[in-house]
Amino acid sequence: MEGERRVAALDLGTNNCRLLVARCAGRGVFVPLRGFQLIVRLGEGLGVGGRLQPQAVARTLEALRVCARICAEEGVAAFRGILTAVGRLARDVDDFLRLAEAETGLRLEVVDEAEEARLSLLACLPLVDLRAPRSVILDVGGGSSEVIVPHREGPTVAASLPLGAVNATETFGDATDPAVYARIRAATLAELRARGFGALPPEPRAVLIGTSGTATVLAALTLGLHELSREAVDGARMDMEAVRATIRSVLAMSLDARRQHPVIGPGRADVLPAGAAILEAVAEHLGCGTFVAADRGPLDGLVRRLCGAALPPVAFRGASHGTDRDEMAKTVKKSAGRGRLSASSRRWLERQARDPFVRRAKAEGYRARSVYKLEEMDRRFGLLRPGMRVLDIGAAPGSWSQYAARRGCRVVAVDLLEIEPISGVEIVRGDVRDPAVQAELRARLGGPAQVVLSDLAPNTSGDKVSDRLRSEAACEEILAFVPEVLAAGGSLVLKLLRGAEAVVVPQARALFGKVRHVRPQATRAESSEIYLVCTDFRPPPSSVAAGGGSTGDSRASSPETTSSTGSGSRGASSSAASASRTEP
Ligand SMILES: C[S@@+](CC[C@H](N)C(=O)[O-])C[C@H]1O[C@@H](n2cnc3c(N)ncnc32)[C@H](O)[C@@H]1O
């Protein structure tokens, strides 16, 4: 008898691990008995190498053990556990599934986008108001967002956008920055259009049903709740304008304030702004004037399935994701003719599939292909040696730090984004321009560094002039900080965008005996970035770090005879001239 059965469903997403134990009370009807939820961030760092990171796997296994114990305690008769976008993306997902089963006894499976959409629809159908001019169900996940449009006449249409709160934050940066927020919105609109969703006129009664963390947190904040309560949030209806006002106030909060907020909390604090940008873009594009929160998603759909509900039919307009080179090549080939990928996604996939540096980085266990830029500069200029103190600025995801640590250096790394731990590297999360962060970096270094690396890239807007200005400003701030941390005779590698040299190089020359322009081979052809390799640091008299920690091999050389910008404005040494020649 259905009424007697206890079932459990588990949804393992990019961000969250959720378990729901329920008693079936009829076909497709259930009574929730017990829930468990933990933010595990299984997908953290996945965008880079396409592999699950050991720390993320360890956190997830911990959560799965708790889920297995709950299932045993509740005596569940049927269990189904699924992985969504994170499982579709991770090239080593099969290893993870085997490990999870061996460690916890739970057998998990990866579902495709179409099934994920059907499960979300199944869960949200009871909230769809058939009298509304239109309803749109939106599930903003960590690594993708599902958009479902149920139709009264004709099939329900669904699509998976390859943008979720976590990967949008990792790709675009901190969405509290208005420029980043605008880019995430623009990317969402482009993905919607690529799947045939035309802009619809605003309609106050058109409903956006928002499921998952982003939507329920925004709803709870709009309702003025002091905690996230499923009872209060699920089915709550509000004006989209009120949700927009909530989003504006979230964007104005500091990261710390978001972390400490009882509704947002530390697990969502950094990714909520990106999730909000996706949600706002979908609501705007599809003209939804009303918002309904649904504290339910594929998980509830799974439980309804386990209790005998049939999956509703859905016409799926999805996009496949894959980071494995062969898979990507297949995806590109299969999808190209059918127009399933947006042009930008296709270009990205094709480029990744062809790129030998991506393959090499994967094979050698580096988190990013950009490691080969540093390797080339190190090989040519002998920058790094065992025992050196190195400061890596703008270090995420961490391939430069990995390289320096493998060369035997003691590394302190700083980035706005979280960096997964790297052995031999001290990690500081924060803005390098912040005096408190600078003080922490000095303390962690424990003495002047012999090398400062900066691959820091401010967010770009696509507008060449403003991007150059941002690059100039970032380089000027780094050059102002360098005397506080670099030892006499030390070296600096500084990334800048072409055009910024006019401002940056004279400032670098004032501090270093030699300044060379380098464009490493691993630089992408379409990129306008170049590096300054600055050696032989000559501390200004007031410099904090100048007093000690000299590299020991600093040579007195006149900037007049050894500096080169490649512009020919000063005398160029032969080695500097050869460095300049590497530029195309
Ligand atoms: C190109 S990535 C660095 C890649 C890194 N070298 C590697 O190989 O893994 C540039 C980084 O600069 C960081 N960044 C930008 N502005 C920053 C700031 N003000 N403070 C700290 N990091 C910043 C970004 O978050 C981004 O992770």
Side-chain angles (χ1 to χ4, degrees), residues 149-467:
V149 186
H151 278 275
R152 265 169 293 185
E153 300 115 26
T156 289
V157 172
S160 178
L161 317 183
L163 278 173
V166 174
N167 70 347
T169 306
E170 287 183 349
T171 309
F172 294 94
D174 176 5
T176 58
D177 175 341
V180 173
Y181 194 86
R183 288 177 66 201
I184 296 175
R185 277 176 55 127
T188 307
L189 296 182
E191 295 294 346
L192 282 169
R193 282 193 217 102
R195 285 158 186 77
F197 290 101
L200 294 172
E203 157 61 70
R205 291 170 309 132
V207 181
L208 181 75
I209 301 171
T211 77
S212 77
T214 297
T216 52
V217 166
L218 290 176
L221 293 172
T222 307
L223 293 170
L225 302 182
H226 297 296
E227 60 173 10
L228 200 52
S229 128
R230 178 172 172 135
E231 291 69 42
V233 162
D234 189 46
R237 207 178 170 82
M238 55 205 82
D239 211 87
M240 195 55 219
E241 213 34 70
V243 178
R244 276 195 199 100
T246 301
I247 293 174
R248 300 283 91 79
S249 58
V250 166
L251 298 179
M253 288 163 81
S254 70
L255 179 60
D256 246 14
R258 294 198 301 276
R259 277 196 184 124
Q260 279 156 27
H261 195 290
V263 172
I264 304 173
R268 278 188 212 293
D270 54 342
V271 298
L272 181 63
I278 296 169
L279 187 143
E280 198 179 353
V282 173
E284 179 191 291
H285 192 69
L286 300 179
C288 299
T290 300
F291 179 74
V292 171
D295 195 352
R296 49 179 91 190
L299 186 67
D300 305 72
L302 271 178
V303 175
R304 292 192 69 194
R305 276 289 280 156
L306 287 167
C307 293
L311 273 186
V314 167
F316 190 72
R317 301 177 186 167
S320 298
H321 318 297
T323 49
D324 176 73
R325 181 175 173 270
D326 301 331
E327 270 311 304
M328 282 194 295
K330 272 192 254 159
T331 306
V332 172
K333 230 174 167 178
K334 273 201 302 201
S335 311
R338 293 187 235 147
R340 289 173 67 213
L341 295 173
S342 63
S344 61
S345 304
R346 191 163 57 239
R347 275 198 304 276
W348 185 85
L349 285 166
E350 283 169 350
R351 196 173 67 179
Q352 291 293 99
R354 279 196 308 265
D355 190 331
F357 292 110
V358 171
R359 260 183 298 160
R360 218 180 123 195
K362 271 183 199 162
E364 295 178 1
Y366 283 112
R367 295 177 184 180
R369 65 188 291 296
S370 51
V371 67
Y372 300 109
K373 300 176 195 167
L374 177 61
E375 186 201 55
E376 180 183 326
M377 292 185 276
D378 183 33
R379 215 176 346 98
R380 290 178 52 191
F381 303 108
L383 300 170
L384 299 169
R385 286 195 299 280
M388 280 182 159
R389 275 197 205 99
V390 174
L391 174 62
D392 184 6
I393 299 175
S399 78
W400 282 27
S401 289
Q402 284 179 297
Y403 177 83
R406 288 186 196 181
R407 296 274 287 120
C409 303
R410 287 173 291 154
V411 186
V412 176
V414 58
D415 203 288
L416 292 168
L417 300 178
E418 193 170 330
I419 302 176
E420 285 291 322
I422 302 169
S423 142
V425 179
E426 289 214 40
I427 293 164
V428 175
R429 185 166 181 187
D431 188 329
V432 70
R433 297 165 301 183
D434 178 344
V437 172
Q438 295 183 350
E440 183 169 359
L441 294 174
R442 280 196 299 270
R444 298 278 192 109
L445 281 167
Q450 282 78 34
V451 178
V452 174
L453 304 172
S454 172
D455 195 21
L456 181 145
N459 294 311
T460 50
S461 63
D463 174 63
K464 277 195 175 142
V465 176
S466 55
D467 290 345

Side-chain angles (χ1 to χ4, degrees), residues 488-490 508-516 534-539 553-564 570-573 575-576:
R509 278 174 161 186
L511 294 172
F512 290 88
K514 285 186 183 176
V515 176
R516 291 114 159 171
C534 312
T535 49
D536 191 12
F537 174 55
R538 288 133 180 234
D553 62 357
S554 123
R555 293 166 298 271
S557 53
S558 153
E560 287 304 315
T561 55
T562 57
S563 292
S564 168
R570 289 187 178 202
S573 71
S575 67

Side-chain angles (χ1 to χ4, degrees), residues 498-567:
R498 274 226 168 96
E501 303 97 307
V503 169
V504 178
V505 169
Q507 295 183 22
R509 278 174 161 186
L511 294 172
F512 290 88
K514 285 186 183 176
V515 176
R516 291 114 159 171
H517 290 199
V518 181
R519 191 170 153 90
Q521 287 186 5
T523 306
R524 295 197 192 269
E526 68 277 22
S527 165
S528 63
E529 70 184 29
I530 55 168
Y531 292 84
L532 297 185
V533 177
C534 312
T535 49
D536 191 12
F537 174 55
R538 288 133 180 234
S542 57
S543 158
V544 175
S550 152
T551 57
D553 62 357
S554 123
R555 293 166 298 271
S557 53
S558 153
E560 287 304 315
T561 55
T562 57
S563 292
S564 168
T565 65
S567 62

